Amino acid sequence: METLAADRAILDAFDEALCIVESSGAVRAMNRAAERLTGYSESELRGRSFFSQLVARHGADRAPSWSPLVRERLSVRLRRKDRTSIEIRCEIDPLGDDGGGALIKLRPIDEEASESEALDDIKEKLETIFGGMADGLVAIDEAGEILLFSKGAERIFGYRAEEALGANVKILMPSPYRDAHDSYLAAYKETGVKKIIGIGREVVGRRKNGATFPMYLSIGEIRLKGKRYFVGVTHDLTRLKRAEEQLLTFSAAIEQSPIAVMIANQHGEIEYVNSRFAALTGYRPHELIGQNPRMLQSKQTVNDQYRRLWESISAGVEWRGQIQDRRKDGKLYWASEIITPLRDAAGAITHFLAIQQDITEQKRDKEALLESEQRFRQIADMAGEWLWEQDRDGRYTYSSGAVEDVLGMTPEEVVGKTYLDLFAKEPASGAVANSAPSLIASRRPFHRVVNHYRHKNGGDVYTESTGAPVFDDDGRLVKWRGVDHDMTARKKYEDALRVRNRAIESVPIGIAIWDAQAPGVPNVYVNPALCRITGFAREELLGHSMHLLRGPATDPAALDEIRNAIAHRKSCQVTVKFYRKDGAPFWDELFISPVANEAGRITHFVSVHADISDRRRVEESRHELEIARHIQLSLLPSAPLRTAHMEIAGICVPATHVGGDYFDYFENSGVIDIAIADVSGHSVGAALIMTEVRSTLRAETRRSTNASCGPAELLRDLNELLHDDLFAADLFITMFYCRFLPQTRVLQYANAGQNPPLLLRADGAVCAQLDADGLVLGVMRGVDFKQGSIDLAPGDRLLFYTDGITETQNRQGEFFGVERLSASFMRHRGLAPGDLIKATLTDVRAFRGEPPATDDIAMVAAEVR
């Protein structure tokens, strides 16, 4: 009876109708589904022949043959208790090879049809819902055969639906994922352990052409009529990865930019300067960080200008102007400066961005240009053009006094020289070639020919020269007579104008000029950067306003602010979501400034566009990481531990915002526990796993303070408790754990793949390593760890560390290594544990140099008393 009850309990766990029959065909057990299908209870059929009692016919009205050793699949008519009959599919599976009976599965044929119809219905609905999505939708059965392949999947993977349907889903995977996929499905069906089902993760996909690409994959599981199906949603991450690369490029461009950049917080404290800003001011970056920009003030700029500057940026308005600052060496310099308030995701001002460009030389050039223009006006007023005469060989026989203003030479210094003596021998970059020699040789008059002279002081001089030959009565050339108009100032201005135009064309920030007097203020100029940002060609933007960029999520309030600025002819700054030509949204940091003509009338607007989409995403991510970092660091010991028998100190320095290194030390029932660990990865997930490790470790140590439960047993228990979480997160942990027993001065320890600590005896001349065999935590269950022990004496010191110390590299690619760490440990052995750690970190940073750390660093130092 107990066997029958067990059979019945097992069968009732299944949804389909099942019967167990003896080798004679007599019914031994049946589940509830079979009772509902036949109308009989198990007790009514037990001991009766299954086929003679229930089967009305088989095939052409003949009774089916029965063999307990033959697996069959039959279509029969089932005779129910209420005398009705139905067509069913009957599957016979022998139970062993010794004639121990068989398991019979019963399924109405119309249910099989409904199962197929239900599957087709679900596929149709999924295709209807997800067919228009950019993401791909792929449905497979338990064997990995593709049953549904959406339009989005066709675009992502390059296969047409008819090519993919019926194929194994492995065609969408590169090696080694495709090689492991079938075994993963088989393992899941056998064990039910999920590795990716229900968990989104980043993986690598494979297109039809063989190219691989990053994608985000989410897999769900559905059951239909007792069968399992899997539905995967894929999102192509190629553009996101490219945006991350662009962000790194942008960061490098800022650091290497020829324009000085400074970032200060809302309190006016400098937080960042690029190398150009340091070179411009003469200060090193660390001398500027934390200081107020007031330290650069020259006292030559009026206080009212500083007041207006601060009022503008405090109100969230960009400030532009020219200021005169003082370098570290006391020299003054002029800078054209733009200060822009930076806002967080909530719109609050958090920082100020200052961009400076040294215009000292431009100021000097402008002043020189003004002087030149004044001289030119005086000469023009006095009809003081440089008049000259030359003999037929081109030697000056006469020069007016204006040559002193043009070339810096007196007429006496010019007479007797040829024009070739006055020309620049090595033309400046971009200089025009002197054409006067060929014209004079042609014996024909010339007009407004540009010549390049060398001034007496070595400077370049450009003139427009007009001359004519003078012949005698016999037609022989006697001399040349002409006049040179000094155009040096105009030439420099034209060169500067060309430089400015090229600069506007080449800057990475979008610039447009609007016609303020035309209806709709259309664009009359756009630079290439604006075309790249918006995706529109220059011809598509010209003649249209920026309303061309509006979209469904464009903030109406921002548009109203722009319209208000245009209507009132004033500047404005807005951050607004616009849309590119392809419909993709982007965040535009837009600055609009009016341009007035000589009469003060606003004729144009200049708009500056900066695509800050990446920056907004980075700022939001950085804020979340800062919160995680604060939580992580708050879990570490806040102060050194000092007892009658030992003093311990530790430090953790994450390489990024959050990391996976961890240490802990505490006294529990007179026993001192020390642990140092490294969670793989530097993400928020690693920090959260570290938090779980700390909680679990402390709970286990409080539970196992007796001497019989040592570090090896604790690591074994910790591995068992954390295995599922680590395996699901695809992470592992290395850990060294030890326990100091003050009464006996014995240190018990065990290692789970962590760097072995260094032991320095009080009178020792070398460092020894403490190590014990043990696999890293989270890889497999049932791991046994080797436990070691050692006697300690007063004055003995221990140094625990993670691989962020030994794997630190210098510019030559050399590792800091255990030998250098041991030497540093011995060199600072006389310091207290906390000071010893600081001194060792200083040695590591000096070895590494300026490059930032690439891995987390954790150290714990202990001294036996």
Side-chain angles (χ1 to χ4, degrees):
M1 293 301 292
E2 291 180 356
T3 302
L4 293 176
D7 290 344
R8 177 59 182 262
I10 293 172
L11 295 179
D12 282 340
F14 294 86
D15 295 328
E16 56 188 331
L18 302 173
C19 294
I20 295 178
V21 298
E22 305 289 353
S23 58
S24 63
V27 176
R28 186 171 76 195
M30 59 193 299
N31 65 357
R32 293 190 184 93
E35 289 178 337
R36 289 193 297 271
L37 180 64
T38 64
Y40 290 98
S41 66
E42 182 187 74
S43 60
E44 293 176 19
L45 292 179
R46 188 181 300 121
R48 298 186 181 185
S49 172
F50 174 84
F51 291 99
S52 61
Q53 182 70 28
L54 296 176
V55 177
R57 66 174 176 81
H58 168 245
D61 291 329
R62 64 180 179 84
S65 60
W66 159 252
S67 172
L69 300 178
V70 179
R71 177 178 286 104
E72 293 190 74
R73 182 182 176 95
L74 311 172
S75 295
V76 302
R77 177 168 291 278
L78 180 71
R79 183 170 52 235
R80 308 167 93 169
K81 182 178 180 180
D82 60 2
R83 300 184 182 280
T84 61
S85 61
I86 58 172
E87 293 288 332
I88 66 169
R89 186 79 65 193
C90 178
E91 295 181 19
I92 304 173
D93 293 314
L95 297 176
D97 299 327
D98 55 357
L103 174 69
I104 299 179
K105 302 177 185 177
L106 307 175
R107 179 181 295 177
I109 293 178
D110 59 346
E111 282 190 9
E112 294 185 345
S114 65
E115 176 184 325
S116 175
E117 293 171 359
L119 180 59
D120 291 339
D121 181 62
I122 288 180
K123 288 166 58 178
E124 180 179 358
K125 290 178 179 177
L126 288 175
E127 183 63 36
T128 301
I129 297 172
F130 294 97
M133 291 177 54
D135 290 345
L137 184 72
V138 180
I140 64 172
D141 61 16
E142 290 183 323
E145 180 180 335
I146 298 176
L147 305 178
L148 175 63
F149 202 75
S150 71
K151 298 293 184 183
E154 289 182 333
R155 289 189 293 270
I156 292 176
F157 293 98
Y159 289 94
R160 298 192 308 275
E162 52 268 31
E163 295 176 301
L165 293 177
N168 193 289
V169 74
K170 293 189 297 185
I171 66 172
L172 310 180
M173 309 173 187
S175 294
Y177 304 101
R178 68 161 63 201
D179 303 324
H181 184 262
D182 287 345
S183 61
Y184 167 69
L185 279 180
Y188 172 61
K189 287 190 289 184
E190 291 179 7
T191 66
V193 176
K194 302 178 180 179
K195 290 187 177 180
I196 189 172
I197 297 173
I199 304 173
R201 66 189 298 181
E202 184 176 332
V203 298
V204 178
R206 181 179 183 274
R207 306 189 200 277
K208 180 181 178 180
N209 60 9
T212 60
F213 63 98
M215 70 177 186
Y216 191 86
L217 174 63
S218 298
I219 296 181
E221 176 184 1
I222 60 175
R223 288 182 176 269
L224 182 64
K225 300 295 183 178
K227 290 187 177 181
R228 272 187 296 217
Y229 300 89
F230 304 95
V231 179
V233 179
T234 61
H235 178 73
D236 192 343
L237 297 177
T238 304
R239 293 182 61 185
L240 177 60
K241 293 296 183 182
R242 190 178 297 119
E244 293 175 351
E245 295 174 358
Q246 291 174 349
L247 179 60
L248 293 176
T249 302
F250 178 76
S251 177
I254 291 295
E255 183 58 32
Q256 302 172 28
S257 171
I259 297 177
V261 178
M262 176 194 71
I263 299 176
N265 61 25
Q266 57 184 341
H267 305 297
E269 297 172 348
I270 299 174
E271 293 188 354
Y272 170 81
V273 295
N274 69 348
S275 56
R276 177 57 185 161
F277 191 94
L280 177 61
T281 62
Y283 290 92
R284 294 185 177 181
H286 72 270
E287 295 175 308
L288 293 167
I289 302 300
Q291 301 295 323
N292 192 288
R294 286 194 297 269
M295 65 183 292
L296 303 174
Q297 293 181 5
S298 65
K299 308 303 182 184
Q300 303 295 320
T301 304
V302 295
N303 291 332
D304 186 62
Q305 184 175 6
Y306 289 118
R307 180 185 58 79
R308 292 196 302 271
L309 182 157
W310 185 251
E311 289 177 352
S312 297
I313 62 177
S314 298
V317 178
E318 179 191 74
W319 182 88
R320 294 169 178 255
Q322 295 181 0
I323 60 173
Q324 191 176 38
D325 281 342
R326 188 182 302 275
R327 294 185 173 91
K328 182 179 180 180
D329 60 5
K331 293 182 180 180
L332 301 178
Y333 71 96
W334 280 96
S336 174
E337 187 166 23
I338 301 175
I339 303 179
T340 303
L342 304 180
R343 303 174 184 272
D344 60 16
I349 297 175
T350 60
H351 293 80
F352 299 98
L353 170 67
I355 299 176
Q356 281 194 356
Q357 185 172 8
D358 188 358
I359 60 170
T360 305
E361 293 299 325
Q362 290 91 320
K363 293 280 285 186
R364 292 172 182 168
D365 291 344
K366 186 176 181 180
E367 292 171 0
L369 180 60
L370 291 174
E371 288 183 29
S372 178
E373 290 176 347
Q374 291 174 357
R375 184 180 302 116
F376 178 80
R377 285 194 295 269
Q378 290 175 355
I379 294 174
D381 291 341
M382 300 169 58
E385 303 283 0
W386 177 27
L387 305 177
W388 50 263
E389 288 185 354
Q390 303 172 358
D391 62 20
R392 58 185 180 184
D393 297 322
R395 194 177 305 275
Y396 289 100
T397 58
Y398 166 80
S399 174
S400 68
V403 70
E404 190 168 359
D405 297 324
V406 178
L407 298 180
M409 294 184 284
T410 63
E412 292 76 18
E413 293 177 295
V414 172
V415 172
K417 292 183 172 64
T418 68
Y419 59 85
L420 294 176
D421 296 330
L422 303 182
F423 282 168
K425 302 301 187 297
E426 297 178 359
S429 177
V432 296
N434 290 306
S435 55
S438 60
L439 293 173
I440 289 177
S442 69
R443 298 162 63 96
R444 296 195 303 269
F446 53 88
H447 303 276
R448 303 175 68 87
V449 174
V450 177
N451 286 327
H452 181 197
Y453 293 99
R454 182 71 67 195
H455 195 275
K456 184 178 180 180
N457 63 10
D460 295 310
V461 176
Y462 297 92
T463 68
E464 282 185 341
S465 182
T466 300
V470 177
F471 300 96
D472 62 13
D473 294 340
D474 297 328
R476 290 176 298 185
L477 177 62
V478 177
K479 60 182 178 182
W480 288 86
R481 181 178 294 131
V483 58
D484 272 44
H485 170 71
D486 189 353
M487 58 166 292
T488 304
R490 192 182 78 192
K491 179 72 164 53
K492 290 182 178 179
Y493 178 80
E494 291 173 349
D495 290 345
L497 185 60
R498 282 192 292 271
V499 170
R500 285 195 294 271
N501 289 340
R502 287 196 297 269
I504 293 175
E505 288 284 303
S506 62
V507 294
I509 298 175
I511 298 175
I513 300 176
W514 309 348
D515 186 349
Q517 302 182 73
V521 287
N523 297 315
V524 295
Y525 168 82
V526 294
N527 72 339
L530 186 59
C531 297
R532 289 194 299 272
I533 292 173
T534 64
F536 287 94
R538 177 172 289 183
E539 296 75 16
E540 295 174 304
L541 292 173
L542 294 177
H544 296 85
S545 71
M546 286 305 163
H547 291 309
L548 192 67
L549 305 178
R550 291 183 301 180
T554 301
D555 186 4
L559 298 178
D560 290 340
E561 188 173 350
I562 295 173
R563 282 191 287 266
N564 182 64
I566 295 173
H568 294 84
R569 298 303 199 247
K570 64 179 184 180
S571 301
C572 79
Q573 172 191 349
V574 293
T575 300
V576 59
K577 180 181 283 188
F578 278 147
Y579 290 79
R580 309 183 205 279
K581 181 180 179 180
D582 61 4
F586 71 97
W587 284 99
D588 188 355
E589 190 173 58
L590 175 62
F591 305 94
I592 302 173
S593 298
V595 179
N597 61 12
E598 294 80 0
R601 182 179 180 184
I602 303 300
T603 59
H604 295 83
F605 288 94
V606 175
S607 63
V608 180
H609 305 255
D611 184 355
I612 63 169
S613 303
D614 293 339
R615 190 179 75 197
R616 287 177 69 98
R617 286 192 291 269
V618 168
E619 289 172 352
E620 293 171 358
S621 298
R622 185 181 294 113
H623 179 67
E624 294 175 357
L625 291 176
E626 286 295 340
I627 294 174
R629 182 172 187 263
H630 175 75
I631 295 173
Q632 172 194 346
L633 295 180
S634 67
L635 297 175
L636 300 176
S638 59
L641 175 63
R642 296 181 177 90
T643 71
H645 303 282
M646 182 172 282
E647 179 178 350
I648 311 171
I651 192 170
C652 183
V653 183
T656 55
H657 287 84
V658 293
D661 280 9
Y662 155 73
F663 71 88
D664 203 357
Y665 47 77
F666 47 89
E667 186 177 18
N668 186 20
S669 299
V671 175
I672 298 174
D673 292 275
I674 304 174
I676 188 166
D678 186 357
V679 182
S680 58
H682 306 282
S683 63
V684 176
L688 294 177
I689 286 293
M690 189 197 77
T691 304
E692 183 180 2
V693 170
R694 176 186 182 272
S695 301
T696 306
L697 176 63
R698 291 216 170 192
E700 285 297 299
T701 54
R702 284 194 294 269
R703 186 180 62 83
S704 57
T705 57
N706 59 81
S708 63
C709 181
E713 184 176 350
L714 188 139
L715 285 184
R716 185 192 63 195
D717 294 343
L718 198 62
N719 181 60
E720 295 299 316
L721 291 171
L722 297 175
H723 178 271
D724 290 343
D725 289 344
L726 290 171
F727 190 77
D730 200 17
L731 296 173
F732 62 86
I733 300 173
T734 61
M735 175 180 288
F736 188 94
Y737 172 72
C738 65
R739 173 169 289 171
F740 180 63
L741 308 177
Q743 300 303 323
T744 60
R745 296 190 183 279
V746 172
L747 182 76
Q748 300 174 340
Y749 57 89
N751 195 359
Q754 179 59 267
N755 296 317
L758 300 178
L759 169 62
L760 183 58
R761 295 292 189 179
D763 55 353
V766 295
C767 294
Q769 290 184 325
L770 300 181
D771 199 6
D773 294 336
L775 190 64
V776 298
L777 304 181
V779 174
M780 61 183 294
R781 292 184 179 276
V783 177
D784 289 328
F785 296 89
K786 181 180 179 181
Q787 180 166 307
S789 64
I790 189 170
D791 295 330
L792 299 180
D796 290 349
R797 294 173 178 269
L798 293 165
L799 181 63
F800 306 81
Y801 58 93
T802 58
D803 56 10
I805 294 287
T806 54
E807 294 181 4
T808 294
Q809 290 181 277
N810 60 14
R811 291 183 180 275
Q812 290 73 39
E814 300 171 325
F815 291 100
F816 190 74
V818 176
E819 291 184 3
R820 289 188 177 89
L821 179 59
S822 298
S824 178
F825 186 19
M826 290 188 290
R827 185 165 54 252
H828 304 302
R829 65 191 303 168
L831 300 177
D835 295 330
L836 186 148
I837 288 175
K838 293 178 182 178
T840 304
L841 274 180
T842 300
D843 291 345
V844 173
R845 288 165 177 159
F847 173 80
R848 185 181 67 231
E850 294 182 1
T854 59
D855 196 4
D856 309 327
I857 288 175
M859 281 198 300
V860 175
E863 178 184 2
V864 180
R865 293 178 171 177

